[in-house]
Structure formats: structure tokens, C-alpha cells
Amino acid sequence: MKKLLYLGIIGIIFYEIAKVYFIMPMPGSQQMNSIDIAYFLHTWRWAFRILFWLMIIAGCTTALMGKRKWITVILLMAAGAVTYGTNYEMAADTMFYQPSQVILHNASQNKVQDDRLVIGVEINGEAKAYPIQFIGYHHQVRDVLGGKPVIVTYCTVCRTGRVFEPVVEGKPDAFRLVGMDHFNAMFEDERTGSWWRQANGEAIAGPLKGQMLPELPTTQTTVSQWLKLHPSSQIMQPDPAYQAKYDSMSRYESGKGRSALTKTDTTAWKDKSWVVGVQAGKNSKAYDWHKLLKHRVINDRVGVTPVAVVIAEDNKSFFAFEKELGQEFEIRNDTLYAQNNAYNLLGKRVSGEGEDLKQINAYQEFWHSWRTFHPDTQQY
């Protein structure tokens, strides 16, 4: 019977560690294509736990009557500590909590510094901006914008923000942070238990594997630039309960973080180098951040789609637009000029003739992340 005890303890320890290993940033875990194994271990978690703990209980009866019962007590304590640690101390959604309240202020009441970066989004005429310093800790913030529920997401290890409609099978759903795959945050929906990738909103495991969450247009700018373009916007304010967590994020957005997972490479095309990624149809292209800073405007094509990628005078806010074939843009004083037309940084025409520019999503991202989730991407 003692063998059952030892096998049960070894089994539960290895199981609980493996369940966490494949979905957390541990040595080697994020380089493997192990999401199916991770989801299998998660799906059958109670079956594994019941089996191993029944073996432990069956073996305890004999072991606790022996002369070395202290060994049994130590092993039981170790099994309990590993089970608790992996399910509470190391669980993603207990390491990064949701805000207890989403506080939003207009420009006159805003306390967030003007040079802080935000992920801005506008729906049905209503605009809101979410500082990276806050959403980088929470990983997701749930809100309602323009009458629609939204989840504003950010993965600090990938350095990328996305905003989605939390709609699963046509119905609003709730999501929790469950871990990561290839260094990208994953969320689990409440209804089906499927796992969704933050970088593109794709379900990568579970009943809805292959489906996509609806993504909304976003812009990454400074607070001041966002308010110039959206003066009626509201800005998310810090939740006082998490001020210490936000303070620990204060250096991240400028690239001065010290963690191996979130630090910045200062030269181009390294794993942690910044790129601006643009997707047009099935084609994608990455633009080196330093080259964008140098040129201010990059007139290019992504696949067959002519695009212009531009950066504002603050050297932080960036935008991408579809343009006409042969149209060449330059930028002066945060105004885009092409031939006899001028446009603001929303693509709205301020002089000349013709239509407004179509703004397209562009993402600041670590190079390792963009190339992982856009394996056929081109480099500019």
C-alpha cells in the first residue's frame, strides 16, 4: 500500500507542475507547440486529481502506522504545498487581478500624465483611452463603449494591445486570464472554456478552436495626442487598490523595464526590438521603430495595398492609413500632405478635395511576437 502513497504523491506533484509549466513562462515551455497538451491537462484536471489523491489516501493508512510516519507527513505536506502553489500563487488570474472599478474621467478631470501611452478606441462616436501602465498590469479591462461591451487587452511580454468584442457564439461572455502560449497572453471564455490568444483573438484550444473574436479599430498614442484628436474622450484613471502594481509598470512603456520578459532591445530586429506591424488582408509587414522615427512617414505597400505609416512629433504616437496608388505623403506639424490635400492624424481631410483616408490598425510589438503570429510577414 505504501507504493500507492508514493506513486500518488509523485503523480500529483508532477501533474500540478506540468499543468502550470506549459502555460506559464518557464524555461523552454513557451518555445514548444504544447497548447494541446496543456489544454488536455486542464480539461481532465479533476480526473487526475481524484485519481492521485485516492492513491494517496489508500496508501496513507499503512504508511501512518509505520515507524517512519514522519516521512509520510512530510510528503503529504509537499504534495499539498505544490497543489496550493500551482493553483493559487502561480495561477495567472490570481497574479494579475481585474480592477475593482473602471474609473474614467474627461480631459478636465484627468490625472494621467500627458506623455503616458494609451490604447485609444472610438465606437459610435464615443471615445475612450486606456493607459498601458494600467492595462499592462491587469492584462484585460472590461468596459462598455458606444453601447457595446468591450475587453481592452494588453500583453506586456509581447508589447501589444488589442480591443475585442467579448462575444462568443453570438452572446456576450466573460473571460479570465488563464496563462500564455508562445509568450502571448491567453484568455478562457466562461461559456465554453475555450482558450483565446490575445495577439489576434483566435481560439487556439477548446470547442471553438479556430474561431475569432471581433476586433475593434485602435490607436496607440500619448494622452495629449489622443485628446487633441478626441477632445471629448474619457481617460481611464488608476484604481487606488492597485497603485503599487501600476508604479512597478512606470518604466515599462518607455522601454526601460528590467525584466528579461519585458525589457527592450535597442538595436533592430532582435527578439525584443520594437516594430510597428501592419496587416492588410492576408499580408503583413513589420517596420523597424528606429527607421520610422528617422523617416517620420513610410510610403509602402503591404501585399498589393498601398499604405502610409506615420509617427507624430511626440515620437510616440503612430498611425497607418490606406492610400491611393502613387500617392506620396509627408508630414509637417502633425499634418499629412499629399499633392494638394492635407489630412489630420485621424485621416480626416482638412484641405483639398477628395475623400478622407482610411485608417487601419497598426500595432507596436516586440519583433519576436509579430513574427511568431505572422510567420509570413515581410520586413521593411
Side-chain angles (χ1 to χ4, degrees), residues 303-315:
V304 298
T305 305
V307 301
V309 185
V310 305
I311 192 164
E313 284 188 333
D314 60 19
N315 291 334

Side-chain angles (χ1 to χ4, degrees), residues 297-334:
V297 178
I298 294 178
N299 293 283
D300 193 28
R301 287 189 187 186
V302 179
V304 298
T305 305
V307 301
V309 185
V310 305
I311 192 164
E313 284 188 333
D314 60 19
N315 291 334
K316 295 181 177 182
S317 308
F318 61 94
F319 308 82
F321 305 94
E322 287 189 20
K323 61 174 188 170
E324 294 179 5
L325 189 63
Q327 198 174 31
E328 296 291 310
F329 285 97
E330 59 180 30
I331 189 169
R332 298 190 302 272
N333 300 320
D334 285 346

Side-chain angles (χ1 to χ4, degrees), residues 61-129:
T61 305
T62 302
L64 289 174
M65 294 176 63
K67 294 181 180 180
R68 297 183 178 180
K69 57 186 176 183
W70 60 271
I71 296 178
T72 302
V73 172
I74 291 174
L75 290 174
L76 287 172
M77 291 175 64
V82 170
T83 299
Y84 175 82
T86 53
N87 285 280
Y88 294 95
E89 298 298 324
M90 299 181 68
D93 58 347
T94 59
M95 294 172 68
F96 304 100
Y97 288 99
Q98 288 294 292
S100 57
Q101 52 184 329
V102 179
I103 305 169
L104 293 145
H105 286 167
N106 58 26
S108 64
Q109 298 174 305
N110 171 55
K111 302 298 182 184
V112 181
Q113 294 175 327
D114 284 349
D115 62 347
R116 286 294 185 181
L117 292 177
V118 296
I119 301 297
V121 59
E122 180 182 9
I123 303 175
N124 297 330
E126 184 179 14
K128 293 182 181 180

Side-chain angles (χ1 to χ4, degrees), residues 225 228 296 311-314 330-337 343-345:
Q225 185 65 255
K228 286 179 185 176
R296 316 302 302 179
I311 192 164
E313 284 188 333
D314 60 19
E330 59 180 30
I331 189 169
R332 298 190 302 272
N333 300 320
D334 285 346
T335 301
L336 284 167
Y337 295 92
Y343 307 84
N344 68 13
L345 290 177

Side-chain angles (χ1 to χ4, degrees), residues 2 20 24 54 57 81 118 243 248 255 260 277 302 324 336 380:
K2 286 184 179 180
V20 170
M24 295 298 281
L54 284 177
I57 292 170
V118 296
Q243 189 61 56
S248 70
V302 179
E324 294 179 5
L336 284 167
Y380 179 84

Side-chain angles (χ1 to χ4, degrees), residues 261-322:
L261 290 172
T262 58
K263 68 180 182 179
T264 295
D265 285 320
T266 56
T267 54
W269 307 114
K270 304 297 184 181
D271 280 353
K272 293 293 183 179
S273 301
W274 295 2
V275 301
V276 171
V278 177
Q279 178 96 29
K282 295 182 179 181
N283 299 291
S284 63
K285 187 172 284 190
Y287 300 85
D288 171 49
W289 182 257
H290 298 292
K291 188 170 289 188
L292 181 58
L293 284 173
K294 178 181 179 181
H295 293 293
R296 316 302 302 179
V297 178
I298 294 178
N299 293 283
D300 193 28
R301 287 189 187 186
V302 179
V304 298
T305 305
V307 301
V309 185
V310 305
I311 192 164
E313 284 188 333
D314 60 19
N315 291 334
K316 295 181 177 182
S317 308
F318 61 94
F319 308 82
F321 305 94
E322 287 189 20

Side-chain angles (χ1 to χ4, degrees), residues 329 335-344 347-353 356-357:
F329 285 97
T335 301
L336 284 167
Y337 295 92
Q339 286 80 45
N340 297 318
N341 294 333
Y343 307 84
N344 68 13
K348 304 294 184 183
R349 184 172 51 80
V350 295
S351 68
E353 299 178 350
D356 295 337
L357 298 175

